[in-house]
Amino acid sequence: MGPARVFPSLHRATPLVGAVALLSLLTACGNGGDSTGAVSTPPGTDSRTTAPPTTGTGSPTTEPGTTSPGAADTASPATQSAGPGSRCHTSELRAAIGRPSPGAGQRNFPIVLTNTGGHTCTLHGYPGAAFVDASGKQLGPDPKRSPDTPMTVTLTPGSSAWAGLTFASPEISGARTATPAALLVTPPDERDPLKVAWTAGEVPVAGNESSVFVTIVQPGTGG
């Protein structure tokens, strides 16, 4: 014999039983419950009876690793660390003009950057350079970059890196010249320059073959 069927018996219930069941159902609905007596929750809402805790911005908090849909990310951006291996900043460096290395019709000077800070930092790419007069006015255009492949140079405290500054000898090129009071050197990826007195005489500022070139930073002092 197969199992008894339940669903057909519902249709054979007596009118009295049906009336009692209907009355119970209406009572439960009037109390905010379902047919079992449990309190019902409107569709689409949380079953908790209290609101979720909020942060100081009024946004609901979420489980770790999740984000509330549509909520703005209020986390503070990571600040740049001054720990070992971070980029060298202008305030941590000293600039100097090294001993010139004459070439065939060229004048070559190493721009030396020395780590004066208390931790290891790195330099990568080209420094900025500008000749200025005593009033701070720039003489000539910005130097051009030589076609080198940048490298990352790690500077421990007290160590140095250098970049080459080169231009054609004015007496050979016939370029118009000026005598700078200083060279402003800006470390790679920085905005604040370091001022270095210029004592090497005239530099080309206009005319034929007046371009000044700067190379990438490299380890050492260039001497």
Side-chain angles (χ1 to χ4, degrees), residues 13-171:
T14 63
L16 179 60
V17 173
V20 172
L22 179 61
L23 179 61
S24 298
L25 178 61
L26 292 175
T27 302
C29 293
N31 292 333
D34 57 16
S35 61
T36 62
V39 177
S40 61
T41 302
T45 63
D46 197 304
S47 61
R48 292 173 294 183
T49 58
T50 58
T54 60
T55 63
T57 60
S59 301
T61 58
T62 59
E63 295 296 328
T66 63
T67 304
S68 299
D73 184 3
T74 57
S76 300
T79 56
Q80 183 170 345
S81 172
S86 63
R87 189 180 80 238
C88 297
H89 299 289
T90 301
S91 60
E92 304 166 320
L93 297 169
R94 180 180 69 248
I97 304 298
R99 184 170 58 185
S101 174
Q106 294 284 322
R107 293 185 182 179
N108 307 299
F109 300 86
I111 301 173
V112 183
L113 295 170
T114 301
N115 181 1
T116 60
H119 66 271
T120 298
C121 60
T122 61
L123 294 173
H124 181 88
Y126 297 83
F131 293 112
V132 295
D133 61 16
S135 66
K137 180 182 178 180
Q138 182 170 337
L139 301 173
D142 293 338
K144 297 180 179 180
R145 293 180 173 182
S146 61
D148 302 317
T149 300
M151 65 175 69
T152 298
V153 180
T154 300
L155 295 183
T156 57
S159 64
S160 301
W162 70 282
L165 184 74
T166 182
F167 52 86
S169 300
E171 62 271 20

